[in-house]
Amino acid sequence: MADPLVELHHASVVLGDARVLDSLTLTIRAGEHTAILGPNGAGKSTLMKLLALELYPSTTGAASFRPAVRLFGRDRWDVFELRKKMGIVSADVHDRFVQGNSNGSITGRDAVVSGFFATQGMFGHLEVTPAMRQRALESLETMGVAHLAQTMLDRMSTGEARRVLIARALVHEPQLLVLDEPTRGLDLVSRFQFMERVRRVVQRGTTLLLVTHYIDEIIPEMARVILLDRGRIDADGTKTEVLTASRLGALFGAPLSVEHDAGYYHVRVLSSLAR
């Protein structure tokens, strides 16, 4: 059996006096499309930084004899090499590119090409080949934004720029695509169109790990849902098992109803909350 894409073993993260992740144990294998769902403060952003190697976990006792984080069967990575196997897109990455990347304003194609170098801009010393430029255009086409190749990111809509950044994450054809609250800032229609484009990526064989607090972002292809609460796994199972009114109501602290249609789940806050 191939190595799991992600393995966490009693991984904890302490920031200041707060234990943000508390002895988290988790395994995700190829093709196991997984959603990690939780309210604000659940530890989702910290988990993302752990996977991106921006933070490092602590372990104690017997757990310390086993690596707390293994990615693609390894616990040590050059971050630039890791990006070839795992593409990450988050609202934070979006902000860094659109509002303050290292190279100032950047075109859609250059943003995607920068994925080959794991940089946030294009610099004079980088050797860009014709094959890289062609692959960047193909990746933009996959996300339906090839027409934005020469458009500056700061002139695009939020949804357009987010799709360009997924194209950047896909330029290496990674095994795992990690999306962290990918539709933040998008309106209702744009959110749906965006996630439908993500479905096409998944259907091509890329494993998806989605970190979100929006239940309706969980696309039909995702079979597994993990509920994260105050740095711990509260539930882990199929959508039918996990996305229930009782579980979600307890997690988000409100009475909820849950409906599903055409593979999507939708949650409604019950009116009794306002009484």
Side-chain angles (χ1 to χ4, degrees), residues 138-205:
E138 291 170 357
S139 194
L140 285 166
E141 181 65 36
T142 295
M143 292 307 300
V145 285
H147 62 289
L148 298 174
Q150 299 304 321
T151 302
M152 297 295 180
L153 253 71
D154 59 1
R155 301 298 298 272
M156 299 179 193
S157 71
T158 300
E160 289 171 337
R162 204 69 53 79
R163 285 160 70 178
V164 167
L165 292 177
I166 289 190
R168 176 181 181 269
L170 295 175
V171 76
H172 282 295
E173 299 184 345
Q175 296 178 48
L176 177 65
L177 176 63
V178 182
L179 300 184
D180 179 18
E181 298 187 2
T183 66
R184 192 183 81 182
L186 304 188
D187 62 37
L188 183 65
V189 174
S190 297
R191 284 174 64 191
F192 177 77
Q193 293 173 337
F194 181 89
M195 294 310 297
E196 285 295 295
R197 185 64 64 168
V198 171
R199 291 185 69 184
R200 300 184 193 181
V201 173
V202 170
Q203 290 163 2
R204 290 185 174 199

Side-chain angles (χ1 to χ4, degrees), residues 118-140:
T119 61
Q120 293 178 28
M122 294 299 296
F123 307 96
H125 69 280
L126 299 177
E127 297 184 8
V128 180
T129 67
M132 289 178 180
R133 294 190 180 94
Q134 179 59 34
R135 177 66 194 127
L137 290 174
E138 291 170 357
S139 194
L140 285 166

Side-chain angles (χ1 to χ4, degrees), residues 9 59-68:
H9 180 69
T59 54
T60 57
S64 62
F65 292 99
R66 178 177 172 183

Side-chain angles (χ1 to χ4, degrees), residues 35-40 44 91 162 179-188 191-192 194-195 210-219 222 225-227 239 243 248 251-252 264-267:
I36 296 180
L37 182 70
N40 292 332
K44 302 188 304 297
R162 204 69 53 79
L179 300 184
D180 179 18
E181 298 187 2
T183 66
R184 192 183 81 182
L186 304 188
D187 62 37
L188 183 65
R191 284 174 64 191
F192 177 77
F194 181 89
M195 294 310 297
L210 172 69
V211 181
T212 184
H213 56 258
Y214 293 120
I215 287 85
D216 56 4
E217 284 184 355
I218 301 174
I219 59 176
M222 307 193 82
V225 178
I226 295 170
L227 301 185
K239 286 187 287 190
L243 297 181
L248 294 176
L251 180 68
F252 287 94
Y264 282 95
Y265 281 69
H266 307 282
V267 172

